[in-house]
Coordinates of all heavy atoms in Angstrom, one line a residue:
M188 N 0.8 -1.2 0.0 CA 0.0 0.0 0.0 C 0.9 1.2 0.0 O 1.9 1.3 0.7 CB -0.9 0.0 1.3 CG -2.1 0.9 1.1 SD -3.3 0.9 2.5 CE -3.5 -0.8 2.9
T189 N 0.6 2.2 -0.8 CA 1.4 3.4 -0.9 C 1.2 4.2 0.4 O 0.2 4.1 1.1 CB 1.0 4.2 -2.1 OG1 -0.4 4.7 -2.0 CG2 1.2 3.4 -3.4
R190 N 2.2 5.1 0.6 CA 2.2 5.9 1.8 C 1.0 6.8 1.8 O 0.4 7.0 2.8 CB 3.5 6.8 1.8 CG 3.7 7.6 3.0 CD 5.1 8.3 3.1 NE 5.0 9.2 4.2 CZ 5.5 8.8 5.4 NH1 5.9 7.6 5.7 NH2 5.5 9.8 6.3
T191 N 0.6 7.5 0.7 CA -0.5 8.4 0.7 C -1.8 7.6 1.0 O -2.6 8.1 1.7 CB -0.6 9.0 -0.7 OG1 0.6 9.8 -0.9 CG2 -1.7 10.1 -0.7
R192 N -1.9 6.4 0.4 CA -3.2 5.6 0.6 C -3.3 5.2 2.0 O -4.4 5.3 2.6 CB -3.2 4.5 -0.3 CG -4.4 3.7 -0.2 CD -4.5 2.6 -1.2 NE -5.6 1.8 -1.0 CZ -6.1 0.7 -1.7 NH1 -5.3 0.4 -2.8 NH2 -7.1 0.1 -1.4
T193 N -2.2 4.9 2.6 CA -2.2 4.5 4.1 C -2.5 5.7 5.0 O -3.2 5.6 5.9 CB -0.7 4.0 4.4 OG1 -0.5 2.8 3.6 CG2 -0.7 3.5 5.9
D194 N -2.0 6.9 4.5 CA -2.3 8.1 5.4 C -3.8 8.4 5.3 O -4.4 8.7 6.4 CB -1.6 9.3 4.7 CG 0.0 9.3 5.0 OD1 0.4 8.4 5.9 OD2 0.6 10.0 4.4
Y195 N -4.4 8.2 4.2 CA -5.8 8.4 4.0 C -6.6 7.4 4.8 O -7.7 7.7 5.4 CB -6.3 8.4 2.6 CG -5.9 9.6 1.8 CD1 -5.3 9.6 0.6 CD2 -6.2 11.0 2.3 CE1 -5.0 10.7 -0.1 CE2 -5.8 12.1 1.7 CZ -5.1 11.9 0.4 OH -4.8 13.1 -0.3
L196 N -6.1 6.2 4.9 CA -6.8 5.1 5.6 C -6.8 5.5 7.1 O -7.8 5.2 7.8 CB -6.2 3.8 5.3 CG -6.8 2.6 6.0 CD1 -8.2 2.4 5.6 CD2 -6.0 1.3 5.7
W197 N -5.6 5.9 7.6 CA -5.6 6.3 9.1 C -6.4 7.5 9.4 O -7.1 7.5 10.4 CB -4.1 6.6 9.5 CG -3.3 5.3 9.7 CD1 -2.3 4.9 9.0 CD2 -3.5 4.4 10.8 NE1 -1.8 3.7 9.6 CE2 -2.6 3.4 10.6 CE3 -4.5 4.4 11.8 CZ2 -2.5 2.3 11.6 CZ3 -4.4 3.3 12.7 CH2 -3.5 2.3 12.6
V198 N -6.5 8.5 8.5 CA -7.4 9.6 8.7 C -8.8 9.2 8.7 O -9.6 9.6 9.6 CB -7.1 10.7 7.6 CG1 -8.2 11.8 7.6 CG2 -5.8 11.3 7.7
A199 N -9.2 8.4 7.8 CA -10.6 7.8 7.8 C -10.9 7.0 9.0 O -12.0 7.2 9.7 CB -10.9 7.0 6.5
T200 N -10.0 6.2 9.5 CA -10.2 5.4 10.7 C -10.4 6.3 11.9 O -11.3 6.1 12.7 CB -9.0 4.5 11.0 OG1 -8.8 3.6 9.8 CG2 -9.1 3.7 12.2
F201 N -9.5 7.3 12.1 CA -9.7 8.2 13.2 C -11.0 9.1 13.1 O -11.6 9.4 14.2 CB -8.5 9.0 13.4 CG -7.3 8.3 14.1 CD1 -6.2 8.0 13.4 CD2 -7.5 7.9 15.5 CE1 -5.2 7.3 14.0 CE2 -6.5 7.2 16.1 CZ -5.3 6.9 15.4
A202 N -11.4 9.4 11.9 CA -12.6 10.2 11.8 C -13.8 9.3 12.2 O -14.7 9.8 12.8 CB -12.8 10.5 10.3
V203 N -13.8 8.1 11.8 CA -14.9 7.2 12.3 C -14.9 7.0 13.9 O -15.9 7.1 14.5 CB -14.8 5.9 11.6 CG1 -15.8 4.8 12.3 CG2 -15.1 5.9 10.1
L204 N -13.8 6.9 14.4 CA -13.6 6.8 15.9 C -14.2 8.0 16.5 O -14.9 7.9 17.5 CB -12.2 6.5 16.3 CG -11.6 5.2 16.0 CD1 -10.1 5.1 16.4 CD2 -12.3 4.1 16.7
V205 N -13.8 9.2 16.0 CA -14.4 10.4 16.6 C -15.9 10.6 16.4 O -16.6 11.0 17.2 CB -13.6 11.7 16.0 CG1 -14.3 12.9 16.4 CG2 -12.2 11.6 16.5
A206 N -16.4 10.3 15.1 CA -17.8 10.4 14.8 C -18.7 9.6 15.7 O -19.8 10.0 16.1 CB -17.9 10.1 13.4
L207 N -18.2 8.3 16.0 CA -19.1 7.4 16.8 C -18.7 7.4 18.3 O -19.3 6.5 18.9 CB -19.0 6.0 16.2 CG -19.6 5.9 14.7 CD1 -19.3 4.5 14.2 CD2 -21.0 6.3 14.7
A208 N -17.9 8.3 18.7 CA -17.5 8.3 20.1 C -18.7 8.7 21.0 O -18.8 8.1 22.1 CB -16.4 9.3 20.4
V209 N -19.6 9.5 20.5 CA -20.7 9.8 21.2 C -21.9 9.0 20.7 O -22.2 9.1 19.5 CB -21.1 11.3 21.1 CG1 -22.5 11.6 21.8 CG2 -20.0 12.3 21.7
P210 N -22.5 8.2 21.5 CA -23.5 7.2 20.9 C -24.9 7.9 20.8 O -25.8 7.7 21.5 CB -23.6 6.1 22.0 CG -23.3 6.8 23.3 CD -22.2 7.9 22.9
W211 N -25.0 8.8 19.8 CA -26.2 9.6 19.6 C -27.4 8.8 19.3 O -28.5 9.1 19.6 CB -26.0 10.6 18.5 CG -25.4 10.0 17.2 CD1 -24.1 9.9 16.8 CD2 -26.2 9.4 16.2 NE1 -24.0 9.2 15.7 CE2 -25.2 9.0 15.2 CE3 -27.5 9.3 15.9 CZ2 -25.7 8.4 14.1 CZ3 -28.0 8.6 14.7 CH2 -26.9 8.2 13.8
F212 N -27.1 7.6 18.7 CA -28.2 6.6 18.4 C -28.8 6.0 19.6 O -29.8 5.3 19.5 CB -27.7 5.7 17.3 CG -26.4 5.0 17.7 CD1 -26.4 3.8 18.5 CD2 -25.3 5.5 17.2 CE1 -25.2 3.3 18.8 CE2 -24.0 5.0 17.5 CZ -24.0 3.8 18.3
L213 N -28.1 6.1 20.7 CA -28.6 5.5 22.0 C -29.2 6.5 22.9 O -29.7 6.3 24.0 CB -27.5 4.8 22.7 CG -27.0 3.5 22.1 CD1 -25.7 2.9 22.9 CD2 -28.0 2.5 21.9
W214 N -29.2 7.9 22.5 CA -29.8 8.9 23.3 C -31.4 8.5 23.5 O -32.1 8.2 22.6 CB -29.8 10.2 22.6 CG -28.4 10.8 22.7 CD1 -27.3 10.2 23.2 CD2 -28.0 11.9 22.0 NE1 -26.2 11.1 23.1 CE2 -26.6 12.1 22.3 CE3 -28.6 12.9 21.2 CZ2 -25.8 13.1 21.8 CZ3 -27.8 14.0 20.8 CH2 -26.4 14.1 21.0
G215 N -31.8 8.6 24.7 CA -33.2 8.4 25.0 C -33.5 6.9 25.2 O -34.6 6.6 25.4
D216 N -32.5 6.1 25.1 CA -32.6 4.6 25.3 C -32.5 4.3 26.7 O -31.4 4.6 27.4 CB -31.6 3.9 24.4 CG -31.9 2.4 24.4 OD1 -32.7 1.9 25.2 OD2 -31.4 1.8 23.5
S217 N -33.5 3.7 27.4 CA -33.4 3.5 28.8 C -33.0 2.1 29.1 O -33.2 1.7 30.3 CB -34.8 3.8 29.3 OG -35.8 2.9 28.8
R218 N -32.5 1.3 28.2 CA -32.1 -0.1 28.5 C -30.9 -0.1 29.5 O -30.1 0.8 29.3 CB -31.8 -0.8 27.2 CG -33.0 -1.1 26.4 CD -32.6 -1.9 25.1 NE -32.0 -0.9 24.2 CZ -31.5 -1.3 23.0 NH1 -31.7 -2.6 22.6 NH2 -31.0 -0.5 22.2
V219 N -30.9 -1.1 30.3 CA -29.8 -1.3 31.2 C -29.3 -2.6 31.2 O -30.0 -3.7 30.9 CB -30.3 -1.1 32.7 CG1 -29.4 -1.3 33.7 CG2 -31.0 0.4 32.8
F220 N -28.0 -2.8 31.2 CA -27.3 -4.0 31.2 C -26.3 -4.1 32.4 O -25.4 -3.1 32.5 CB -26.5 -4.3 29.9 CG -25.8 -5.6 29.9 CD1 -26.5 -6.7 29.6 CD2 -24.5 -5.6 30.0 CE1 -25.8 -8.0 29.5 CE2 -23.7 -6.8 29.9 CZ -24.4 -8.0 29.7
A221 N -26.4 -5.1 33.2 CA -25.6 -5.3 34.4 C -25.5 -4.0 35.3 O -24.5 -3.7 35.8 CB -24.1 -5.6 33.9
G222 N -26.7 -3.4 35.4 CA -26.8 -2.2 36.3 C -26.4 -0.9 35.7 O -26.5 0.1 36.4
L223 N -25.9 -0.9 34.5 CA -25.5 0.4 33.9 C -26.2 0.6 32.6 O -26.6 -0.4 31.9 CB -23.9 0.3 33.6 CG -23.0 0.2 34.8 CD1 -21.6 0.1 34.3 CD2 -23.1 1.5 35.7
P224 N -26.4 1.9 32.3 CA -27.1 2.2 31.1 C -26.3 1.7 29.8 O -25.1 1.7 29.8 CB -27.2 3.6 31.0 CG -26.8 4.1 32.4 CD -26.0 3.1 33.0
L225 N -27.0 1.3 28.8 CA -26.5 0.8 27.6 C -25.5 1.8 26.9 O -24.5 1.3 26.4 CB -27.6 0.4 26.6 CG -27.1 -0.4 25.3 CD1 -26.4 -1.7 25.8 CD2 -28.3 -0.7 24.5
W226 N -25.8 3.0 26.9 CA -25.0 4.0 26.4 C -23.6 4.1 27.0 O -22.6 4.3 26.4 CB -25.6 5.4 26.3 CG -25.9 6.0 27.6 CD1 -27.1 5.9 28.4 CD2 -25.0 6.8 28.5 NE1 -26.9 6.5 29.5 CE2 -25.7 7.1 29.6 CE3 -23.7 7.2 28.3 CZ2 -25.0 7.8 30.7 CZ3 -23.0 7.8 29.4 CH2 -23.8 8.1 30.5
L227 N -23.6 3.8 28.3 CA -22.3 3.8 29.1 C -21.5 2.6 28.7 O -20.2 2.7 28.5 CB -22.6 3.8 30.6 CG -21.3 3.9 31.5 CD1 -20.6 5.2 31.1 CD2 -21.7 3.9 33.0
W228 N -22.1 1.4 28.5 CA -21.3 0.3 28.0 C -20.8 0.5 26.6 O -19.7 0.1 26.3 CB -22.2 -0.9 28.0 CG -22.5 -1.5 29.3 CD1 -23.6 -1.5 30.0 CD2 -21.5 -2.1 30.2 NE1 -23.4 -2.2 31.2 CE2 -22.1 -2.5 31.4 CE3 -20.1 -2.4 30.0 CZ2 -21.5 -3.1 32.4 CZ3 -19.5 -3.0 31.1 CH2 -20.1 -3.3 32.2
W229 N -21.6 1.3 25.8 CA -21.1 1.6 24.4 C -19.8 2.4 24.6 O -18.8 2.2 23.9 CB -22.1 2.4 23.7 CG -21.6 3.0 22.4 CD1 -21.0 4.2 22.3 CD2 -21.5 2.3 21.2 NE1 -20.7 4.4 21.0 CE2 -20.9 3.3 20.3 CE3 -21.8 1.1 20.6 CZ2 -20.6 3.1 19.0 CZ3 -21.6 0.9 19.3 CH2 -21.0 1.8 18.5
H230 N -19.9 3.4 25.5 CA -18.7 4.3 25.7 C -17.5 3.6 26.2 O -16.4 3.8 25.7 CB -19.1 5.4 26.6 CG -18.1 6.5 26.8 ND1 -17.8 7.4 25.8 CD2 -17.2 6.8 27.8 CE1 -16.8 8.2 26.1 NE2 -16.4 7.8 27.3
I231 N -17.7 2.7 27.1 CA -16.6 1.9 27.6 C -16.0 1.0 26.6 O -14.7 1.0 26.4 CB -17.0 1.0 28.8 CG1 -17.4 1.9 30.0 CG2 -16.0 -0.1 29.2 CD1 -18.1 1.2 31.1
G232 N -16.8 0.3 25.8 CA -16.3 -0.5 24.7 C -15.6 0.3 23.6 O -14.6 0.0 23.0
W233 N -16.1 1.5 23.4 CA -15.6 2.3 22.3 C -14.2 2.9 22.8 O -13.3 2.9 21.9 CB -16.5 3.5 22.1 CG -16.2 4.1 20.6 CD1 -15.6 5.3 20.5 CD2 -16.5 3.5 19.4 NE1 -15.6 5.5 19.0 CE2 -16.0 4.4 18.4 CE3 -17.1 2.3 19.0 CZ2 -16.2 4.2 17.1 CZ3 -17.2 2.1 17.6 CH2 -16.7 2.9 16.7
M234 N -14.0 3.2 24.0 CA -12.8 3.6 24.5 C -11.7 2.5 24.4 O -10.6 2.8 24.2 CB -12.9 4.2 25.9 CG -13.7 5.5 26.0 SD -13.0 6.9 25.1 CE -14.0 6.8 23.6
V235 N -12.1 1.2 24.6 CA -11.2 0.2 24.6 C -10.8 0.0 23.1 O -9.6 -0.2 22.8 CB -11.9 -1.2 25.1 CG1 -11.1 -2.3 24.8 CG2 -12.0 -1.0 26.6
L236 N -11.8 0.1 22.2 CA -11.5 -0.1 20.7 C -10.5 1.1 20.3 O -9.6 1.0 19.6 CB -12.7 0.0 19.9 CG -12.6 0.0 18.4 CD1 -12.0 -1.3 17.9 CD2 -13.9 0.3 17.7
T237 N -10.8 2.3 20.8 CA -10.0 3.5 20.4 C -8.6 3.3 20.9 O -7.6 3.7 20.2 CB -10.6 4.8 21.0 OG1 -11.9 5.0 20.5 CG2 -9.8 6.0 20.6
A238 N -8.4 2.8 22.2 CA -7.0 2.6 22.7 C -6.4 1.5 21.8 O -5.1 1.6 21.5 CB -7.2 2.0 24.1
A239 N -7.0 0.5 21.4 CA -6.4 -0.6 20.5 C -5.9 0.0 19.2 O -4.8 -0.3 18.7 CB -7.3 -1.7 20.3
V240 N -6.8 0.9 18.6 CA -6.5 1.4 17.3 C -5.3 2.4 17.4 O -4.4 2.5 16.6 CB -7.7 2.1 16.7 CG1 -7.3 3.0 15.5 CG2 -8.8 1.1 16.3
F241 N -5.3 3.2 18.6 CA -4.1 4.1 18.7 C -2.9 3.3 18.9 O -1.9 3.7 18.5 CB -4.5 5.1 19.9 CG -3.5 6.2 20.1 CD1 -3.4 7.2 19.1 CD2 -2.5 6.1 21.1 CE1 -2.4 8.1 19.2 CE2 -1.6 7.1 21.2 CZ -1.5 8.1 20.3
H242 N -3.0 2.2 19.6 CA -1.8 1.4 19.9 C -1.3 0.9 18.4 O 0.0 1.0 18.2 CB -2.1 0.1 20.8 CG -1.0 -0.8 20.9 ND1 0.1 -0.6 21.7 CD2 -0.9 -2.0 20.3 CE1 0.9 -1.6 21.6 NE2 0.4 -2.5 20.8
L243 N -2.1 0.4 17.6 CA -1.7 0.1 16.3 C -1.1 1.2 15.5 O -0.1 1.0 14.8 CB -2.9 -0.5 15.4 CG -3.4 -1.9 15.8 CD1 -4.7 -2.2 14.9 CD2 -2.3 -2.9 15.5
F244 N -1.7 2.4 15.7 CA -1.2 3.6 15.0 C 0.3 3.9 15.4 O 1.1 4.2 14.7 CB -2.1 4.8 15.2 CG -1.5 6.0 14.7 CD1 -1.6 6.3 13.3 CD2 -1.0 7.0 15.6 CE1 -1.0 7.5 12.8 CE2 -0.5 8.3 15.0 CZ -0.5 8.4 13.7
T245 N 0.5 3.8 16.8 CA 1.8 4.2 17.3 C 2.9 3.1 16.9 O 4.0 3.5 16.7 CB 1.9 4.1 18.8 OG1 1.5 3.0 19.4 CG2 0.9 5.4 19.3
R246 N 2.4 1.9 16.7 CA 3.4 0.9 16.2 C 3.7 0.9 14.7 O 4.7 0.5 14.2 CB 2.9 -0.5 16.5 CG 2.7 -0.8 18.1 CD 4.1 -0.8 18.6 NE 4.0 -1.0 20.1 CZ 4.9 -0.5 21.0 NH1 5.9 0.2 20.5 NH2 4.7 -0.7 22.3
R247 N 2.7 1.3 13.9 CA 2.8 1.1 12.5 C 2.8 2.4 11.7 O 3.4 2.5 10.6 CB 1.7 0.4 11.9 CG 1.5 -1.0 12.5 CD 0.4 -1.8 11.8 NE 0.5 -3.1 12.3 CZ -0.4 -4.1 12.0 NH1 -1.3 -3.8 11.2 NH2 -0.3 -5.3 12.5
A248 N 2.4 3.5 12.3 CA 2.3 4.8 11.4 C 2.7 6.1 12.2 O 2.3 7.1 11.7 CB 0.9 4.9 10.8
W249 N 3.3 5.9 13.3 CA 3.6 7.1 14.2 C 4.4 8.1 13.3 O 4.1 9.3 13.5 CB 4.3 6.6 15.4 CG 4.6 7.8 16.4 CD1 5.7 8.5 16.6 CD2 3.6 8.3 17.2 NE1 5.5 9.5 17.5 CE2 4.3 9.4 17.9 CE3 2.3 8.1 17.5 CZ2 3.6 10.1 18.9 CZ3 1.6 8.9 18.4 CH2 2.3 9.9 19.1
D250 N 5.3 7.8 12.5 CA 6.1 8.6 11.8 C 5.4 9.4 10.7 O 5.9 10.4 10.2 CB 7.3 7.9 11.2 CG 6.8 6.9 10.1 OD1 5.8 6.3 10.2 OD2 7.7 6.7 9.2
R251 N 4.2 9.0 10.3 CA 3.5 9.6 9.2 C 3.2 11.0 9.5 O 3.4 11.9 8.6 CB 2.2 8.8 8.9 CG 2.5 7.4 8.5 CD 1.4 6.8 7.7 NE 1.7 5.6 7.3 CZ 2.5 5.2 6.3 NH1 3.0 6.1 5.5 NH2 2.7 4.0 5.9
G252 N 2.5 11.4 10.5 CA 2.2 12.8 10.8 C 3.0 13.5 11.9 O 2.8 14.6 12.1
M253 N 3.9 12.7 12.5 CA 4.8 13.3 13.6 C 6.1 13.8 13.1 O 6.8 14.4 13.8 CB 4.9 12.3 14.6 CG 3.7 11.8 15.2 SD 2.7 13.1 15.9 CE 1.1 12.3 15.9
G254 N 6.5 13.5 11.9 CA 7.9 13.9 11.4 C 8.9 13.1 12.2 O 10.1 13.5 12.1
E255 N 8.6 12.0 12.8 CA 9.6 11.2 13.5 C 10.1 10.0 12.7 O 9.3 9.4 11.8 CB 9.1 10.6 14.8 CG 8.7 11.7 15.8 CD 9.9 12.4 16.4 OE1 10.9 11.8 16.5 OE2 9.7 13.7 16.5
V256 N 11.3 9.7 12.7 CA 11.9 8.5 12.0 C 11.9 7.2 13.0 O 12.6 7.5 14.1 CB 13.2 8.7 11.4 CG1 13.7 7.5 10.7 CG2 13.1 9.9 10.4
T257 N 11.3 6.2 12.7 CA 11.4 5.0 13.6 C 12.5 4.1 13.1 O 12.9 4.1 11.9 CB 10.1 4.2 13.5 OG1 9.8 3.9 12.3 CG2 9.0 5.1 14.1
N258 N 13.1 3.4 14.1 CA 14.2 2.4 13.8 C 13.7 1.2 13.1 O 12.8 0.6 13.3 CB 14.9 2.1 15.0 CG 15.6 3.3 15.6 OD1 16.0 4.2 14.8 ND2 15.9 3.4 16.8

């Protein structure tokens, strides 16, 4: 995959992570799971997913936007 295409893929990935960070589709939903509202579980899961994606980014593409050279 070319560098430019990979850059666009990372930008799109982070855009999706930001866009779906707030569970707007669960607003007004009163369902509860394990004593917590469903929207809170969404947020917890989303933060775990975001941490995993950021981990991948730091391992594979950190130099792309940071101007750093990796060994």
Side-chain angles (χ1 to χ4, degrees):
M188 198 175 320
T189 65
R190 183 174 174 93
T191 304
R192 184 173 175 177
T193 304
D194 290 345
Y195 286 131
L196 183 61
W197 279 113
V198 168
T200 300
F201 282 112
V203 169
L204 287 175
V205 169
L207 295 176
V209 177
W211 53 268
F212 49 87
L213 292 175
W214 287 356
D216 192 340
S217 62
R218 290 182 286 180
V219 175
F220 179 75
L223 293 173
L225 188 59
W226 64 266
L227 186 57
W228 285 113
W229 170 269
H230 187 70
I231 291 167
W233 200 254
M234 292 300 101
V235 169
L236 176 66
T237 301
V240 170
F241 189 70
H242 176 75
L243 284 174
F244 175 75
T245 60
R246 296 291 179 212
R247 297 183 179 181
W249 186 256
D250 64 330
R251 297 199 182 281
M253 303 300 163
E255 298 291 325
V256 178
T257 58
N258 293 334

